[in-house]
C-alpha cells in the first residue's frame, strides 16, 4: 500500500527516480509525486493525482533535476485522493521533505500541539504532521539527525519514512516501524525503497531495516541505527534473487495472464522445496496442542483449503481464522502454533495476527513469497515458496503455490501422526508431480473455450460459486477472483448451503458455477450434482467445472468445462486455474483494468 523510492547519487537521478515509482505502482496508484534536490539545497516538489506516466507528463517530472531525491506512489488511507494530499510533503519553509507509508495514530494530538506553535497544514494527511514535527525538533535541537530521531520517538502507529533536507544535503534519512523499508546498495549510488522493485533495475544488493530502526544513506555508504537508543546496528548486505526480467510481462498482454501461465513452473518450484523444510513445518504443526492457520483475502481461502487437506490427510482440523479477525477470536497460548500465509509477508492484518500470537508466547510460522519481508523475519518456522515476483495486484500463482505447500505439509503431518502410511503419502506426492503437466495442458487446450464462455456470459451481473468439501474454499477463492478483477458481484458458498436461503435468488440475472468433484469422490460428487439439479429445476444457468466421468447420462449443467480424468488429490488445484481464466476473460471482455483493478493495492500494509 503506497510505494516509496529514494536515490542518492553523484549525477542527475530524475529519470531513474521516476522509473522507480513506476515499478512500485502495483502498491498503489491514485496519486504520485517526486522531490529532487541538487547542490544548491533547493528542494523542488512536483505531484498530482493519477498514475505515474500521467502525472509525469502533466507535471513535467522529467524536466526537473537533482542528484538526490525521494518519490512516492499513493493508495489513499489518510485524506482523500487530492493533489494536496499526495506525497511528498514539505515543511512550511521547504527545508524538509518527506514521503511516508503507514498510519500515525496520534496525529490528532500532534497536529493540535504543532498548530499551537503556529504550524499551518495544507493537507489532511498524517504525513504532513510528521514533517512539521521534524522541523519543530530541528528548531529546538539544531541537528538533523537528532530532530529526525526525536520526531520518530514521538510517533505512535506505523510508518516507513524517507526524508531529504536542505540542512544536510547529501543524505536520505529513513526509518521503519511496522511498514516495510529497505536500502539498495549500488556502486555509484544508494537507494531506499518500500520494496526491492524500487531499485531492482539498479542493484540487487539490499539491506533490510527492522522495526524501530533508522538509516542515513549517502551516495557512498549507509549507517543503520536504533531509534530508541541511537546505537549503530551492524547489518549484512543481502543479494536479492529476483531480477527485473522476471518481473516483466514477457509478451503477455497483462501480468495476470503471464502469472496464470507461469503456474506449471511455479508448482514445480513449490514441489522442489526441500523436504526437510516441509517436515519441520509439519512437526511444528502437530507438536502443539492448538494449531491455527491465518491469512486474509485470498490467503484466507488458501488457509481454508489447507484446513481440508489437514483434515482429510492428517486427521487434524486446524482452526482457520481470517487474520483481520484473529485477535478478536483466537485463544492462543504457549501451546499453540500460528501459521500465517502471505504472498507479500507485509499484510498488516496478518502481521497483527502474528504479533498477537507472539505476545501470547505462541510459536509462529509462515509460508511466504517475499524473502526478507517482515513476516519472514519474525516467525520461528519459515517456508519460502519461491514463486518469483507477482506483479498483478490479483494473486494467482502465489496462492496456488501456497496451496501446494500446505498439501505437502498435510501429507507429512499425516505420516507423522500415522493417519496415512508413508506409501499413501508417496502416491499423493506422485499425483502432485502430475499437476504441472495437467495445468499446462489445461492452459493450452481449454483457454480459448473458457474465453468463449466468459464472453457469452459477460452480461451477467451476479454469480454464485458453489463447491463442497475441498471444493468449497475453491469456490470462495474463485468468487473473490471474479469480484476483484471484473467488478462483477460473486458469492462463494458450500453447495449444501444453497437450499437454506440463497436459492431464492435464482433467476435470469444470476449464474451459478459448480465446482464438481471427481467421480471417485462418490458422496461429494452426488451431493454436488444434486445442488446443480436444484438450480436447473428453477431454470437457473449452471456452469459445471468437472472432470471426465464414465457416466452415460448428461449432467445437470447449462454449459460445462470438462477436464481430463484427474486424481482427486490434485483436482481442486486444477479447478483453481480454470477459475483464474474465467475471471481474467470476463474482466478483459468488460475492459477492466486487469493488473491494477480499482481501489485495490498489492500489499495492504494498513489496518
Ligand atoms: C486477492 C489478493 C488479496 C491478498 C490479501 C493478502 O487476489 O491478492 O486478497 O491475498 O491482501 O495479501 P498477502 O498474501 O500479501 O498477505
Amino acid at each position: 500500500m503506497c510505494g516509496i523510492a529514494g536515490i542518492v547519487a553523484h549525477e542527475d537521478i530524475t529519470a531513474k527516480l521516476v522509473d522507480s515509482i513506476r515499478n512500485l505502482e502495483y502498491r498503489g496508484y491514485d496519486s504520485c509525486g517526486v522531490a529532487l534536490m541538487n547542490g544548491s539545497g533547493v528542494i523542488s516538489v512536483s505531484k498530482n493525482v493519477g498514475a505515474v506516466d500521467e502525472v509525469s507528463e502533466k507535471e513535467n517530472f522529467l524536466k526537473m533535476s537533482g542528484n538526490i531525491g525521494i518519490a512516492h506512489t499513493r493508495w489513499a488511507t489518510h485524506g482523500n485522493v487530492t493533489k494536496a494530499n499526495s506525497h511528498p510533503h514539505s515543511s512550511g519553509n521547504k527545508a524538509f521533505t518527506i514521503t511516508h507509508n503507514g498510519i500515525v495514530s496520534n496525529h490528532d494530538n500532534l497536529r493540535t500541539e504543532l498548530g499551537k506553535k503556529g504550524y499551518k497544514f495544507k493537507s489532511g494527511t498524517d504525513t504532513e504532521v510528521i514533517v512539521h514535527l521534524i522541523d519543530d525538533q530541528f528548531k529546538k535541537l539544531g541537528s538533523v539527525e537528532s530532530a529526525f530521531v526525536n520526531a520518530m520517538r514521538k510517533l505512535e502507529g506505523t510508518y516507513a519514512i524517507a526524508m531529504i533536507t536542505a540542512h544536510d544535503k547529501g543524505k536520505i534519512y529513513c526509518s521503519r516501524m511496522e511498514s516495510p523499508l529497505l536500502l539498495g546498495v549500488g556502486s555509484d549510488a544508494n537507494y531506499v525503497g518500500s520494496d526491492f522493485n524500487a531499485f531492482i533495475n539498479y542493484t540487487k544488493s539490499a539491506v533490510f531495516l527492522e522495526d524501530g530502526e533508522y538509516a542515513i544513506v549517502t551516495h557512498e555508504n549507509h549507517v543503520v541505527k536504533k531509534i530508541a537508543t541511537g546505537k549503530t546496528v551492524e547489518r549484512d548486505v543481502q543479494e536479492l534473487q529476483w531480477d527485473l526480467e522476471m518481473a516483466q510481462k514477457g509478451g503477455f498482454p497483462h501480468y495476470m495472464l503471464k502469472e496464470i501461465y507461469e503456474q506449471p513452473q511455479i508448482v514445480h518450484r513449490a514441489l522442489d522445496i526441500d523436504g526437510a523444510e516441509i517436515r519441520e513445518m509439519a512437526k511444528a504443526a502437530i507438536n502443539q496442542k492448538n494449531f491455527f492457520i491465518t491469512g486474509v483475502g485470498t490467503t484466507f481461502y488458501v488457509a481454508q483449503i489447507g484446513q481440508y487437506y489437514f483434515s482429510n490427510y492428517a486427521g487434524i482440523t486446524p482452526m482457520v481464522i481470517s487474520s483481520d479477525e484473529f485477535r478478536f477470536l483466537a485463544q492462543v497460548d504457549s501451546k499453540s502454533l500460528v501459521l500465517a500465509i502471505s504472498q507479500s509477508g507485509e499484510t498488516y492484518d496478518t502481521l497483527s495476527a502474528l504479533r498477537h500470537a507472539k505476545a501470547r508466547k505462541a510459536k509462529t510460522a509462515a509460508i511466504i513469497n517475499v524473502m526478507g519481508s517482515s513476516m519472514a523475519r519474525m516467525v520461528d518456522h519459515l517456508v519460502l515458496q519461491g514463486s518469483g515476483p507477482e506483479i498483478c495486484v490479483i494473486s494467482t500463482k502465489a496462492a496456488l503455490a501456497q496451496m501446494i505447500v500446505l498439501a505437502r505439509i498435510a501429507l507429512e503431518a499425516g505420516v507423522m501422526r500415522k493417519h496415512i502410511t508413508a506409501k499413501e503419502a508417496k502416491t499423493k506426492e506422485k499425483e502432485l508431480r502430475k499437476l504441472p503437466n495437467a495445468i499446462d495442458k489445461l492452459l493450452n487446450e481449454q483457454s480459448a473455450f473458457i474465453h468463449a464462455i466468459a464472453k457469452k456470459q459477460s452480461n451477467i451481473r451476479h454469480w454464485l460459486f458453489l463447491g463442497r468439501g475441498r471444493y468449497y474454499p475453491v469456490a470462495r477463492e474463485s468468487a473473490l477472483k471474479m469480484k476483484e478483477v471484473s467488478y462483477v458481484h460473486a458469492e462463494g458458498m458450500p453447495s449444501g448451503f444453497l437450499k437454506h436461503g440463497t436459492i431464492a435468488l435464482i433467476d435470469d440475472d444470476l449464474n451459478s458455477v459448480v465446482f464438481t468433484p471427481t467421480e471417485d469422490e462418490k458422496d461429494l460428487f452426488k451431493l454436488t450434482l444434486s445442488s446443480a439439479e436444484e438450480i436447473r429445476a428453477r431454470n437457473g444457468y449452471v456452469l459445471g467445472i468437472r472432470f471426465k466421468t464414465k457416466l452415460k447420462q448428461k449432467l445437470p449443467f447449462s454449459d460445462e468445462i470438462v477436464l481430463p480424468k484427474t486424481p482427486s488429490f490434485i483436482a481442486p488445484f486444477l479447478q483453481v486455474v480454470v477459475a483464474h481464466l474465467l475471471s481474467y476473460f470476463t474482466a478483459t471482455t468488460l475492459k477492466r483494468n486487469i493488473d491494477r483493478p480499482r481501489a485495490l493495492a498489492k500489499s495492504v500494509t494498513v489496518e
Side-chain angles (χ1 to χ4, degrees):
M1 181 141 321
C2 304
I4 291 177
I7 309 179
V8 46
H10 253 326
E11 293 167 356
D12 186 78
I13 53 145
T14 312
K16 277 172 92 175
L17 193 59
V18 175
D19 266 353
S20 297
I21 47 167
R22 192 180 291 111
N23 284 340
L24 288 174
E25 266 192 314
Y26 71 94
R27 294 179 72 94
Y29 35 81
D30 55 36
S31 51
C32 64
V34 295
L36 283 150
M37 177 168 66
N38 51 32
S40 69
V42 175
I43 302 175
S44 344
V45 176
S46 192
K47 57 187 187 176
N48 215 328
V49 171
V52 173
D53 283 337
E54 192 189 337
V55 180
S56 175
E57 206 180 307
K58 198 161 39 181
E59 300 292 329
N60 289 320
F61 280 173
L62 295 177
K63 295 216 169 110
M64 298 167 77
S65 67
N67 63 334
I68 175 166
I70 52 176
H72 192 261
T73 174
R74 180 169 189 247
W75 188 79
T77 55
H78 214 107
N80 298 338
V81 181
T82 60
K83 179 171 177 171
N85 285 344
S86 355
H87 297 214
H89 290 274
S90 301
S91 55
N93 54 14
K94 299 203 165 42
F96 295 94
T97 295
I98 70 166
T99 59
H100 157 234
N101 287 349
I103 294 178
V104 174
S105 47
N106 60 338
H107 70 97
D108 267 342
N109 291 346
L110 292 170
R111 189 185 293 264
T112 311
E113 275 173 36
L114 290 161
K116 282 185 196 149
K117 291 180 181 171
Y119 281 93
K120 298 263 177 297
F121 294 86
K122 293 186 192 141
S123 76
T125 64
D126 47 355
T127 306
E128 200 186 358
V129 172
I130 306 173
V131 75
H132 289 322
L133 183 63
I134 296 169
D135 183 67
D136 179 50
Q137 293 296 310
F138 181 73
K139 282 183 188 143
K140 257 194 236 153
L141 304 164
S143 137
V144 172
E145 184 171 352
S146 308
F148 185 75
V149 174
N150 260 26
M152 295 306 113
R153 289 178 187 155
K154 289 181 188 299
L155 300 181
E156 287 165 20
T158 63
Y159 55 81
I161 293 170
M163 176 187 89
I164 53 174
T165 171
H167 294 301
D168 202 358
K169 287 179 215 154
K171 293 176 188 158
I172 298 178
Y173 284 78
C174 58
S175 60
R176 156 185 180 142
M177 182 64 79
E178 296 183 17
S179 202
L181 199 78
L182 68 166
L183 315 180
V185 182
S187 51
D188 49 4
N190 284 320
Y191 306 86
V192 171
S194 45
D195 71 47
F196 63 86
N197 283 304
F199 51 74
I200 197 87
N201 271 348
Y202 316 122
T203 180
K204 284 197 218 161
S205 306
V207 172
F208 293 94
L209 293 195
E210 298 283 354
D211 288 340
E213 290 179 352
Y214 70 103
I216 305 171
V217 187
T218 69
H219 77 274
E220 284 173 322
N221 55 40
H222 64 270
V223 58
V224 179
K225 297 185 183 181
K226 292 255 178 239
I227 292 173
T229 60
K231 284 211 173 103
T232 303
V233 180
E234 291 308 321
R235 182 69 40 77
D236 289 343
V237 177
Q238 291 190 33
E239 287 307 302
L240 298 168
Q241 287 158 11
W242 295 353
D243 58 32
L244 191 68
E245 212 201 309
M246 274 176 89
Q248 282 175 344
K249 278 190 207 150
F252 286 91
H254 303 105
Y255 282 114
M256 183 174 177
L257 192 62
K258 174 180 179 258
E259 288 159 5
I260 290 172
Y261 272 77
E262 278 172 358
Q263 291 184 111
Q265 187 196 345
I266 293 319
V267 172
H268 264 306
R269 286 206 209 139
L271 293 172
D272 287 345
I273 294 169
D274 193 353
E277 284 178 46
I278 302 289
R279 274 191 294 282
E280 186 201 310
M281 194 65 98
K283 217 192 272 167
I286 65 170
N287 275 353
Q288 298 298 328
K289 194 160 153 258
N290 307 310
F291 174 28
F292 295 84
I293 314 183
T294 190
V296 71
T298 283
T299 52
F300 172 63
Y301 299 133
V302 170
Q304 277 201 318
I305 291 179
Q307 184 181 39
Y308 277 90
Y309 276 84
F310 271 98
S311 167
N312 297 170
Y313 298 97
I316 40 175
T317 311
M319 280 162 277
V320 170
I321 300 179
S322 186
S323 61
D324 58 320
E325 285 295 315
F326 197 82
R327 61 203 145 117
F328 310 116
L329 180 61
Q331 291 296 337
V332 288
D333 55 21
S334 59
K335 295 193 182 93
S336 309
L337 175 81
V338 178
L339 167 60
I341 317 290
S342 177
Q343 188 286 130
S344 61
E346 300 292 354
T347 301
Y348 187 88
D349 289 319
T350 310
L351 268 169
S352 299
L354 284 174
R355 287 190 187 115
H356 175 85
K358 269 181 127 48
R360 282 155 189 78
K361 305 206 166 16
K363 289 269 175 292
T364 53
I367 300 169
I368 280 169
N369 193 31
V370 179
M371 166 194 165
S373 57
S374 303
M375 283 180 223
R377 286 177 292 129
M378 76 189 279
V379 291
D380 303 308
H381 308 278
L382 173 69
V383 172
L384 280 175
Q385 58 188 91
S387 311
E390 189 177 65
I391 301 298
C392 175
V393 166
I394 311 284
S395 185
T396 52
K397 64 171 184 172
L400 184 67
Q402 290 161 343
M403 294 172 199
I404 306 303
V405 173
L406 279 170
R408 286 186 66 196
I409 299 170
L411 284 181
E412 281 294 344
V415 175
M416 286 173 185
R417 297 188 75 246
K418 300 196 184 347
H419 186 77
I420 53 171
T421 62
K423 197 167 156 216
E424 280 166 328
K426 272 254 142 36
T427 311
K428 301 294 168 214
E429 273 158 25
K430 275 197 193 138
E431 290 172 1
L432 274 176
R433 292 260 162 212
K434 291 186 183 149
L435 189 59
N437 276 348
I439 297 176
D440 214 32
K441 201 162 146 49
L442 157 66
L443 293 171
N444 289 328
E445 295 175 8
Q446 305 262 39
S447 278
F449 181 64
I450 297 171
H451 191 171
I453 290 197
K455 238 173 153 170
K456 192 171 94 181
Q457 300 300 329
S458 61
N459 58 330
I460 296 294
R461 309 306 333 140
H462 304 281
W463 288 77
L464 267 183
F465 285 70
L466 303 168
R468 218 163 169 147
R470 285 177 291 129
Y471 301 85
Y472 155 51
V474 170
R476 294 192 76 186
E477 162 58 3
S478 305
L480 178 61
K481 289 285 93 93
M482 184 64 114
K483 276 187 277 213
E484 59 185 348
V485 68
S486 72
Y487 319 153
V488 166
H489 171 231
E491 242 182 288
M493 71 177 66
S495 53
F497 206 82
L498 178 72
K499 57 185 174 299
H500 298 283
T502 315
I503 198 160
L505 289 178
I506 305 296
D507 68 9
D508 289 349
D509 197 29
L510 181 135
N511 275 2
S512 302
V513 181
V514 171
F515 292 87
T516 314
T518 63
E519 199 181 358
D520 303 342
E521 301 167 281
K522 292 197 177 68
D523 270 2
L524 271 186
F525 182 72
K526 220 170 88 198
L527 287 166
T528 308
L529 287 184
S530 73
S531 302
E533 265 150 15
E534 285 161 11
I535 303 170
R536 295 295 294 133
R538 285 154 185 84
N539 296 322
Y541 171 96
V542 184
L543 169 63
I545 301 178
R546 69 165 178 99
F547 300 90
K548 261 205 177 113
T549 66
K550 291 196 210 96
L551 298 175
K552 293 269 175 326
Q553 80 262 31
K554 192 179 165 340
L555 298 184
F557 299 130
S558 321
D559 278 316
E560 37 180 33
I561 297 165
V562 184
L563 304 167
K565 197 167 171 351
T566 303
S568 62
F569 190 74
I570 60 169
F573 305 136
L574 213 53
Q575 294 194 342
V576 165
V577 180
V578 175
H580 289 163
L581 290 170
L582 187 67
S583 50
Y584 172 78
F585 289 126
T586 304
T588 52
T589 309
L590 296 173
K591 301 203 174 358
R592 303 304 192 219
N593 189 352
I594 305 293
D595 288 327
R596 302 186 314 177
R598 68 184 179 202
L600 302 188
K602 184 69 183 160
S603 172
V604 185
T605 51
V606 289
E607 197 164 16

